[in-house]
Amino acid sequence: MATDRVEVTSADIARIADVRPTAVSNWRRRHDDFPQPVGGTERSPRFDLAEVEAWLLRERKAPQIPPSQRLWQAFDSVRSVMPADDALGMAGTLLLHLHEHPATPAPARVSDCEHLLREAGRTLSQARGARAGVTALLAHCPRHEFGPRQLQLLSAAAEAAAANGAAATFDELCARHFTSGPRAGFSATPPALADLMIHLAGPGHGTLLDPACGSGTILLAAAEHGYQRVQGQELNASLARVTAVRLAFRASTADPDQVRAAVVYDVHADDFLRSPAYPRKASAVVTNPPFADRTWGYEELADSIVWEYGVPPRAESELAWAQQALAHVVPGAPVVLLMPPAAAARPSGRRIRADLLRRGALRAVFSLPPGYAAHYALPLQLWVLHRPDPADAPRPDHLLVADAGDSQDPAALVRDIWDAYTAAPEAFATRPGVARTVPLVDLLDDADVTPRRHLPQLAQPGVSLTALTATRSAFEEAAETLLSRLPGLPPSPPDERPETRPVLLHDLIKSGAVVLHHPTPARKVPLTEESPGPGEARFLTAADLTQSRAASTSGPAPEDPLRSPPIRVGDILMPAITRNVVARVATEEDAGSYPSASVHHLRITDPDLLDPWFFAGYLSSSEGIRQASTATSTLGVHARIDPRRVRLPLLPIEQQRTYGEAFRSISEFARVLQTVHRLGSELTSDATDALAAGLRPADGHQLLTPAGERTD
């Protein structure tokens, strides 16, 4: 098999041609001369990029592939013969050399690659602002046999640099690589989070150390915030080299007349806990350390002098990083760490957390929203620590805790809280449910520093006496209505059942007696007003159907009213995928809205053939649901609904209407029953919250007593 080609997937081809992936599948079926797969699997074939490009140009399907896209495809292909981080470092080193020496010719043969990269390595080690650690990185740079794919990568990098500039090319390549998905053991720190962490460290001055620098995002942010020297250490030598290249580009593109050009940088590849590379005199440490590392060196480091606050247990690698970081800053200097929520509450770390609090080292803990930090679904935390300074007196007697988990702009909220706190710590005003200072005496027992545990909550409007009374009255009224809507028992089945003619709904659709519309997906947002804005429409979702409510979202109205018509009174609506299957006959409340893509929209065209309530009632029955449902393993307890599979027992229209009225009364009872359940749940929840609120200090807010009276 040839190894000098660049391979692409169907998704890559769609991206290149600016079409949907389904278009590529159609091309493969309809065009006999479409390139044949050269690798991959039957379900995910890979194609030769040169053959694909020639076919696209021949068929006039796409313009010539831009250099940046060609570089990405070459980078994607070379990952099959060398690690991605090594390939990124190789391409970045060459791009830096081309940036400094733009007249350098691109490699034309495999034999040119090694010579050119040696020259590029010298450029990196001699780049502006670089120190000894950068040179040392080249000594243990991974060695790979150069082949056609490496040549493709370096040639594509040179082509992209000539078209777009070397610095812009490397920035784009890094951005695509580090956002293409999490990889084992590493996830790049988002730039916005890096900026926030640097802000918490305080005004930039002196030396900032990131001992788990990864791809260098925090170091780049520190350089922009005024730190005169930035130092990084990273266990993964390939990532350390990428960081060195990024910092070298930053230094080379800086204006020599501005302060930002004077930043000195250094990057080492080694284990920070076992072999720290820098002396313990940084002005700040800001880092995103690895989490839950059981191999951090518990046995080797048991007698280390670094453990001023206690020897970290094997499961507390994060507290080992915190102590090593504190040991590397000067007295009074800050340390900002991104931490998992378990580090704030695990019993095994209680003694160390308590000593950090007691000695004034831990100053603040901020909770972030789930997913805000890279790919983590957990609500990660930011810890702000300071190395105790004997000259500082007195020590802090409290801890700032804040929860930004419900904020639309968590970075802005954390900045605002921190700035207000640092301006006047003793005068910081509690923000119920968001932030407060907690006395240390309240923390030292279990040393659980999880913010939400210590935040007082504002009494919600729903727990007021007026609201409780209104909810109770609405519940009583709905309960009375429920009894009046109780459907009667069906009569005993007659000796002779009515003659029925089973008809497959699919056949009724083919005949035109029933029309099944297929709504197109549309961007929708919660409907906050009674009427949507201009050019927008109300949309009915599957959740609206199962919860017996009106259309709850809005979005742009469909462009083609023939393919996606609005709902009319009498239309039948069913969820496409649901846990609870129910068919609903549209009422005046539904008319004019549009079904979402998760709703089947059926319309009866001949009212003398089918009664809508009879139709919907049978579809909602156990037998109708059984016929329409297709369970799938990926959907768990949910079911995929296809109404075309149902065999409808067709009766004379008058008998249908008799059954339809019975089905209508059952549907109305179900609607009122859901209202009773909803109001009962609200009443239970609000009454419980009101009672619980009366048991804690009110912080000046009026609360309810168990008797329903207010107290201060």
PDB file of all heavy atoms in Angstrom, residues 33 63 82 92 144 215 232 356 362 392 484 542 579 651:
ATOM      1  N   ASP A  33     -17.108   6.996 -11.610  1.00  0.00           N
ATOM      2  CA  ASP A  33     -15.707   7.392 -11.592  1.00  0.00           C
ATOM      3  C   ASP A  33     -15.283   8.055 -10.289  1.00  0.00           C
ATOM      4  O   ASP A  33     -14.170   8.582 -10.192  1.00  0.00           O
ATOM      5  CB  ASP A  33     -15.409   8.343 -12.759  1.00  0.00           C
ATOM      6  CG  ASP A  33     -16.220   9.637 -12.672  1.00  0.00           C
ATOM      7  OD1 ASP A  33     -17.262   9.640 -11.962  1.00  0.00           O
ATOM      8  OD2 ASP A  33     -15.819  10.631 -13.298  1.00  0.00           O
ATOM      9  N   PRO A  63     -14.032  24.478  -5.588  1.00  0.00           N
ATOM     10  CA  PRO A  63     -12.807  25.153  -6.022  1.00  0.00           C
ATOM     11  C   PRO A  63     -11.585  24.399  -5.505  1.00  0.00           C
ATOM     12  O   PRO A  63     -11.702  23.406  -4.787  1.00  0.00           O
ATOM     13  CB  PRO A  63     -12.920  26.537  -5.367  1.00  0.00           C
ATOM     14  CG  PRO A  63     -13.766  26.298  -4.165  1.00  0.00           C
ATOM     15  CD  PRO A  63     -14.743  25.228  -4.566  1.00  0.00           C
ATOM     16  N   MET A  82       3.000   8.610  13.259  1.00  0.00           N
ATOM     17  CA  MET A  82       3.702   9.232  14.382  1.00  0.00           C
ATOM     18  C   MET A  82       2.676   9.908  15.279  1.00  0.00           C
ATOM     19  O   MET A  82       1.587  10.273  14.831  1.00  0.00           O
ATOM     20  CB  MET A  82       4.747  10.246  13.891  1.00  0.00           C
ATOM     21  CG  MET A  82       4.175  11.471  13.205  1.00  0.00           C
ATOM     22  SD  MET A  82       5.456  12.563  12.487  1.00  0.00           S
ATOM     23  CE  MET A  82       6.412  12.998  13.928  1.00  0.00           C
ATOM     24  N   GLY A  92       5.242  22.913  13.648  1.00  0.00           N
ATOM     25  CA  GLY A  92       5.424  24.228  14.263  1.00  0.00           C
ATOM     26  C   GLY A  92       6.859  24.703  14.210  1.00  0.00           C
ATOM     27  O   GLY A  92       7.131  25.884  13.967  1.00  0.00           O
ATOM     28  N   HIS A 144      11.777  10.079  14.623  1.00  0.00           N
ATOM     29  CA  HIS A 144      10.929   9.236  13.788  1.00  0.00           C
ATOM     30  C   HIS A 144      11.555   9.131  12.408  1.00  0.00           C
ATOM     31  O   HIS A 144      12.174  10.077  11.928  1.00  0.00           O
ATOM     32  CB  HIS A 144       9.514   9.811  13.681  1.00  0.00           C
ATOM     33  CG  HIS A 144       8.807   9.918  14.991  1.00  0.00           C
ATOM     34  ND1 HIS A 144       8.209   8.848  15.615  1.00  0.00           N
ATOM     35  CD2 HIS A 144       8.612  10.979  15.811  1.00  0.00           C
ATOM     36  CE1 HIS A 144       7.671   9.246  16.761  1.00  0.00           C
ATOM     37  NE2 HIS A 144       7.900  10.531  16.900  1.00  0.00           N
ATOM     38  N   SER A 215      -0.291  22.655  26.527  1.00  0.00           N
ATOM     39  CA  SER A 215      -0.064  23.331  25.246  1.00  0.00           C
ATOM     40  C   SER A 215       0.302  24.793  25.400  1.00  0.00           C
ATOM     41  O   SER A 215       0.428  25.498  24.399  1.00  0.00           O
ATOM     42  CB  SER A 215      -1.317  23.205  24.374  1.00  0.00           C
ATOM     43  OG  SER A 215      -2.426  23.832  25.016  1.00  0.00           O
ATOM     44  N   GLY A 232       7.448  27.201  32.141  1.00  0.00           N
ATOM     45  CA  GLY A 232       6.553  26.055  32.052  1.00  0.00           C
ATOM     46  C   GLY A 232       7.287  24.759  32.234  1.00  0.00           C
ATOM     47  O   GLY A 232       8.469  24.640  31.880  1.00  0.00           O
ATOM     48  N   LEU A 356      -4.403  23.928  55.571  1.00  0.00           N
ATOM     49  CA  LEU A 356      -4.347  25.023  54.600  1.00  0.00           C
ATOM     50  C   LEU A 356      -5.223  26.192  55.053  1.00  0.00           C
ATOM     51  O   LEU A 356      -4.848  27.363  54.925  1.00  0.00           O
ATOM     52  CB  LEU A 356      -4.795  24.534  53.220  1.00  0.00           C
ATOM     53  CG  LEU A 356      -3.841  23.605  52.456  1.00  0.00           C
ATOM     54  CD1 LEU A 356      -4.542  23.006  51.236  1.00  0.00           C
ATOM     55  CD2 LEU A 356      -2.591  24.363  52.015  1.00  0.00           C
ATOM     56  N   LEU A 362      -5.274  28.772  52.059  1.00  0.00           N
ATOM     57  CA  LEU A 362      -6.402  28.690  51.133  1.00  0.00           C
ATOM     58  C   LEU A 362      -7.299  29.903  51.350  1.00  0.00           C
ATOM     59  O   LEU A 362      -7.859  30.086  52.430  1.00  0.00           O
ATOM     60  CB  LEU A 362      -7.187  27.395  51.359  1.00  0.00           C
ATOM     61  CG  LEU A 362      -8.369  27.130  50.417  1.00  0.00           C
ATOM     62  CD1 LEU A 362      -7.932  27.134  48.963  1.00  0.00           C
ATOM     63  CD2 LEU A 362      -9.043  25.801  50.764  1.00  0.00           C
ATOM     64  N   ASP A 392       2.909  38.986  57.307  1.00  0.00           N
ATOM     65  CA  ASP A 392       1.491  39.346  57.226  1.00  0.00           C
ATOM     66  C   ASP A 392       0.805  39.027  58.545  1.00  0.00           C
ATOM     67  O   ASP A 392       0.875  37.901  59.036  1.00  0.00           O
ATOM     68  CB  ASP A 392       0.797  38.572  56.103  1.00  0.00           C
ATOM     69  CG  ASP A 392       1.229  39.072  54.737  1.00  0.00           C
ATOM     70  OD1 ASP A 392       1.779  40.185  54.674  1.00  0.00           O
ATOM     71  OD2 ASP A 392       1.021  38.344  53.749  1.00  0.00           O
ATOM     72  N   SER A 484     -65.069  15.836  38.162  1.00  0.00           N
ATOM     73  CA  SER A 484     -66.162  16.070  37.210  1.00  0.00           C
ATOM     74  C   SER A 484     -65.836  15.543  35.819  1.00  0.00           C
ATOM     75  O   SER A 484     -66.736  15.319  35.006  1.00  0.00           O
ATOM     76  CB  SER A 484     -66.473  17.570  37.132  1.00  0.00           C
ATOM     77  OG  SER A 484     -65.387  18.282  36.550  1.00  0.00           O
ATOM     78  N   ALA A 542     -42.159  17.577  21.328  1.00  0.00           N
ATOM     79  CA  ALA A 542     -42.636  16.310  21.882  1.00  0.00           C
ATOM     80  C   ALA A 542     -42.915  16.439  23.369  1.00  0.00           C
ATOM     81  O   ALA A 542     -43.880  15.855  23.894  1.00  0.00           O
ATOM     82  CB  ALA A 542     -41.600  15.209  21.625  1.00  0.00           C
ATOM     83  N   ARG A 579     -40.799   8.601  25.864  1.00  0.00           N
ATOM     84  CA  ARG A 579     -40.997   7.570  26.886  1.00  0.00           C
ATOM     85  C   ARG A 579     -42.484   7.283  27.045  1.00  0.00           C
ATOM     86  O   ARG A 579     -42.882   6.145  27.254  1.00  0.00           O
ATOM     87  CB  ARG A 579     -40.413   8.064  28.213  1.00  0.00           C
ATOM     88  CG  ARG A 579     -40.489   7.059  29.350  1.00  0.00           C
ATOM     89  CD  ARG A 579     -40.172   7.736  30.667  1.00  0.00           C
ATOM     90  NE  ARG A 579     -38.863   8.347  30.654  1.00  0.00           N
ATOM     91  CZ  ARG A 579     -37.764   7.770  31.119  1.00  0.00           C
ATOM     92  NH1 ARG A 579     -37.837   6.571  31.634  1.00  0.00           N
ATOM     93  NH2 ARG A 579     -36.613   8.396  31.078  1.00  0.00           N
ATOM     94  N   LEU A 651     -64.064   1.780  11.084  1.00  0.00           N
ATOM     95  CA  LEU A 651     -65.497   1.607  11.336  1.00  0.00           C
ATOM     96  C   LEU A 651     -66.284   2.596  10.483  1.00  0.00           C
ATOM     97  O   LEU A 651     -65.720   3.578   9.980  1.00  0.00           O
ATOM     98  CB  LEU A 651     -65.813   1.863  12.810  1.00  0.00           C
ATOM     99  CG  LEU A 651     -65.234   0.912  13.854  1.00  0.00           C
ATOM    100  CD1 LEU A 651     -65.461   1.494  15.252  1.00  0.00           C
ATOM    101  CD2 LEU A 651     -65.901  -0.449  13.744  1.00  0.00           C
TER     102      LEU A 651
END
